[in-house]
Amino acid sequence: MLKGLLLGVAGLAMTLTNAVPVFAQEVVKVGLILPMTGPFASTGRQVSAGAKAFIAAKGDTAGGKKIELIIRDDGGVADQTRRIAQELVVNEGTKVLAGFGLTPLAMAVAPVATQAKIPTVVMAAGTAAITKASPFITRTSGTLPQYSVPVGTWASQNGIKKVVTLVSDYGPGVDAEKWFTKEFKAKGGEIAEAVRIPLQNPDFAPFLQRVRDAKPDAVFVFLPSGVGSLFMKQFADRGLADAGIKLIATGDVTDDDILNSMGKPAIGTITGHFYATSHDSPENKAYVEAFEKANNKMRPNFMSVGGYDGMALIYNALEKTKGDASGPAFMEAVKGLSWTSPRGPVSIDPETRDIIQNIYIREVKEVNGQLHNVEFQTFSALKDPEKAEAK
Ligand code: VNL
């Protein structure tokens, strides 16, 4: 009798839900954990603006659920990232975790993702190993091996014979150094020296002197987003370009967020990356226009697109599961998803949960009085080579 009554009430509730979905609609909370303050605040600002741009463009429902974005600042400190992740899952009922501005921050959350079976979308960090740290991690940025190899290919085909590598001394830098070197050497190039610089408060001057003394044709550089301006200034001040040393890099160095402020010394830099603000497609034109309008003319960089596509992934997965955000169902739905991003066509590798995407070779040029990464060559639909090799 009581059971019948309860079923009756449930049935009535369902009827009401169908009639007036807005009242009874369930919420899926997405916890976006990012460095909103500290030395990597530009990453937090860009990723969060990208995520918000997606919601502004597509609405706030997916798979019949209302999507609620909760943005939390970890200041770029891994212990904070882990603490906030636990707090969001345990106290706030957050169903999906996302963001993660740097590799150590993503790694700190992997055990939380695994234990609580929480879908975790890495939107920024780029060390290849991150997606191996938990079966509940997927990624919409890219990996350093994925976009360092094409720079090695380009260098070997464009008269560069001797290179010094110069990278930030942590996960993504080590990946960039390893995979650029592997490709460049396989194509006949020589590495004169491998230089690693501390991540925190770098002074590039002594390292640039070492590069200069080695007299290479080019220096290949990885530095995380936001750090490139200081490097570019010291590169010019130390006279490396005047000494005939060409600058080649991952696109993190000529980050569109700060590229314009780098001025003339940046012109001619060759980089490989997955996104440029100037990427020529109707999807990107619409994205850049909406983003700049919503963000006081701020130029969207690759971090913002990681945030935008991270939301695209979450929406697409929830559509597929009809709103089921539980870990196993969500992660199954993620595998093989594909869509058109502002960066071009993308899909999620069903085997690795990493993103398959085009990598573009670009040159910094002045276009209508502004500095841009101008794409001129495309390596199509690349997977993360590190995991492809491990198989
Ligand atoms: C990382 C990789 C961070 C690429 C970055 O900027 C970046 C990382 C903050 O994996 O830590 O551009």
Side-chain angles (χ1 to χ4, degrees):
M1 167 61 194
L2 183 60
K3 196 171 159 210
L5 186 66
L6 284 176
L7 281 174
V9 171
L12 182 66
M14 278 188 53
T15 317
L16 283 174
T17 308
N18 292 338
V20 212
V22 71
F23 288 125
Q25 195 174 43
E26 281 175 71
V27 169
V28 172
K29 291 186 185 174
V30 176
L32 203 52
I33 314 175
L34 290 163
M36 302 302 295
T37 54
F40 298 99
S42 69
T43 292
R45 195 174 68 227
Q46 286 273 352
V47 174
S48 59
K52 285 182 189 163
F54 185 88
I55 296 174
K58 313 283 171 174
D60 65 354
T61 57
K65 300 284 168 77
K66 187 170 159 51
I67 306 300
E68 187 185 319
L69 204 57
I70 304 173
I71 301 175
R72 290 284 158 84
D73 176 20
D74 63 16
V77 179
D79 285 345
Q80 290 298 330
T81 319
R82 190 193 295 105
R83 189 190 56 71
I84 294 166
Q86 276 162 344
E87 201 261 328
L88 284 172
V89 170
V90 175
N91 300 337
E92 301 263 358
T94 300
K95 290 287 186 282
V96 180
L97 293 172
F100 314 110
L102 293 104
T103 291
L105 314 180
M107 286 301 200
V109 169
V112 180
T114 302
Q115 276 157 29
K117 298 191 169 57
I118 296 287
T120 298
V121 183
V122 173
M123 296 169 158
T127 302
I130 292 170
T131 43
K132 288 194 278 189
S134 169
F136 294 94
I137 294 182
T138 179
R139 168 159 44 196
T140 55
S141 44
T143 78
L144 268 298
Q146 187 181 39
Y147 57 83
S148 297
V149 166
V151 184
T153 314
W154 182 88
S156 70
Q157 292 171 350
N158 286 273
I160 294 171
K161 302 213 157 35
K162 189 165 131 183
V163 167
V164 172
T165 59
L166 186 146
V167 301
S168 288
D169 192 5
Y170 78 121
V174 172
D175 269 5
E177 176 194 286
K178 176 179 165 195
W179 284 87
F180 171 86
T181 297
K182 191 172 147 78
E183 171 69 5
F184 187 60
K185 278 184 158 176
K187 299 271 158 71
E190 179 200 340
I191 301 292
E193 210 177 325
V195 181
R196 295 184 182 178
I197 320 169
L199 173 62
Q200 302 292 347
N201 309 315
D203 172 14
F204 299 108
F207 301 101
L208 286 169
Q209 192 55 46
R210 273 171 67 190
V211 173
R212 209 187 152 143
D213 293 345
K215 297 191 168 56
D217 301 318
V219 55
F220 167 76
V221 182
F222 164 80
L223 301 167
S225 176
V227 182
S229 326
L230 178 63
F231 172 80
M232 205 56 90
K233 186 179 178 324
Q234 295 192 355
F235 185 83
D237 291 350
R238 293 263 136 188
L240 271 81
D242 296 338
I245 301 169
K246 187 156 184 65
L247 178 57
I248 58 178
T250 68
D252 310 80
V253 176
T254 58
D255 172 0
D256 272 300
D257 190 68
I258 51 176
L259 179 59
N260 241 338
S261 70
M262 292 182 192
K264 293 260 184 294
I267 292 175
T269 306
I270 300 289
T271 60
H273 216 268
F274 60 78
Y275 178 73
T277 315
S278 62
H279 178 70
D280 189 10
S281 74
E283 290 82 9
N284 189 48
K285 284 214 170 60
Y287 175 65
V288 173
E289 203 179 299
F291 186 98
E292 291 186 341
K293 206 166 151 198
N295 293 285
N296 206 8
K297 298 222 168 74
M298 176 167 79
R299 197 195 266 196
N301 71 358
F302 63 91
M303 290 294 186
S304 81
V305 173
Y308 183 88
D309 283 328
M311 293 310 293
L313 177 147
I314 292 167
Y315 275 47
N316 286 335
L318 288 174
E319 290 295 340
K320 234 165 129 180
T321 64
K322 302 199 166 41
D324 183 357
S326 65
F330 187 100
M331 295 313 294
E332 203 43 47
V334 160
K335 295 173 184 175
L337 282 178
S338 66
W339 67 94
T340 303
S341 156
R343 70 185 97 173
V346 298
S347 65
I348 301 299
D349 187 337
E351 288 173 51
T352 65
R353 293 161 272 109
D354 259 316
I355 192 162
I356 301 175
Q357 60 185 339
N358 295 346
I359 298 302
Y360 307 93
I361 304 293
R362 311 95 50 85
E363 179 174 357
V364 177
K365 288 187 174 174
E366 207 175 284
V367 184
N368 301 329
Q370 308 261 317
L371 294 188
H372 273 285
N373 292 296
V374 179
E375 296 168 351
F376 65 89
Q377 190 179 340
T378 305
F379 291 79
S380 295
L382 298 187
K383 293 188 178 192
D384 171 43
E386 178 143 314
K387 280 155 223 130
E389 181 194 57
K391 278 197 295 183

